[in-house]
Amino acid sequence: MTGKRDLKILLRTLKPSLNEGNYVFISLKDIQHISREDILFEFKEREGTTVILKKNKADELSLTYEFIASWITLTVHSALDAVGLTAAVSTALTKHDISCNVVAAYYHDHIFVAKKDTEKAMDILREFSNA
């Protein structure tokens, strides 16, 4: 099934969904000691491999992190070549001084916001469907 490309439709049908739990970003040189089942996201950078894990798993593995986030999934199926979705979402959150880290996956975009900003971010994202 092909994802949606029309920005107006994407924004009107975002349907943000809050995933339970606390999530952390970690950069490691070696991720061999972490089970693939525990890794939510992985991206190789020159400095190391960034992984997103549940906070409790990172604590269990004694891994260091600086940022505790909530994970919001935009449940609309966006096309990978859709234009403007990330910009619209990040701009709306920026207007309320909310930082966001966006991960685009095949079917959905995922937004990570500071735990303290969770409810406000959800309210802002829900407003798109009322516009």
Side-chain angles (χ1 to χ4, degrees), residues 5-127:
R5 288 183 178 80
D6 184 293
L7 183 58
K8 289 180 184 176
I9 293 171
L10 285 167
L11 293 174
R12 195 171 54 245
T13 60
L14 277 181
K15 293 187 179 108
S17 175
L18 180 62
N19 297 281
E20 288 189 35
N22 297 314
Y23 298 86
V24 295
F25 288 65
I26 300 168
S27 180
L28 300 166
K29 295 290 183 196
D30 178 19
I31 64 169
Q32 298 298 324
H33 65 286
I34 303 174
S35 169
R36 296 284 301 158
E37 291 180 15
D38 293 325
I39 298 174
L40 177 64
F41 168 85
E42 171 185 329
F43 196 89
K44 294 178 185 173
E45 298 179 284
R46 186 176 329 167
E47 298 85 356
T49 301
T50 296
V51 293
I52 301 174
L53 302 172
K54 283 194 166 191
K55 179 186 173 297
N56 63 346
K57 179 52 73 172
D59 290 341
E60 181 183 310
L61 296 171
S62 299
L63 298 172
T64 303
Y65 49 84
E66 298 174 12
F67 177 70
I68 301 171
S70 290
W71 167 26
I72 301 168
T73 298
L74 306 180
T75 62
V76 63
H77 180 189
S78 57
L80 289 169
D81 61 351
V83 176
L85 179 60
T86 301
V89 167
S90 64
T91 297
L93 294 172
T94 297
K95 288 179 183 176
H96 295 274
D97 202 31
I98 297 174
S99 170
C100 68
N101 293 279
V102 181
V103 174
Y106 190 86
Y107 291 103
H108 307 288
D109 291 274
H110 305 274
I111 312 296
F112 292 86
V113 299
K115 198 68 183 171
K116 67 178 180 57
D117 295 324
T118 303
E119 291 309 315
K120 183 67 176 168
M122 286 295 290
D123 290 343
I124 293 164
L125 295 173
R126 285 185 194 113
E127 287 176 16

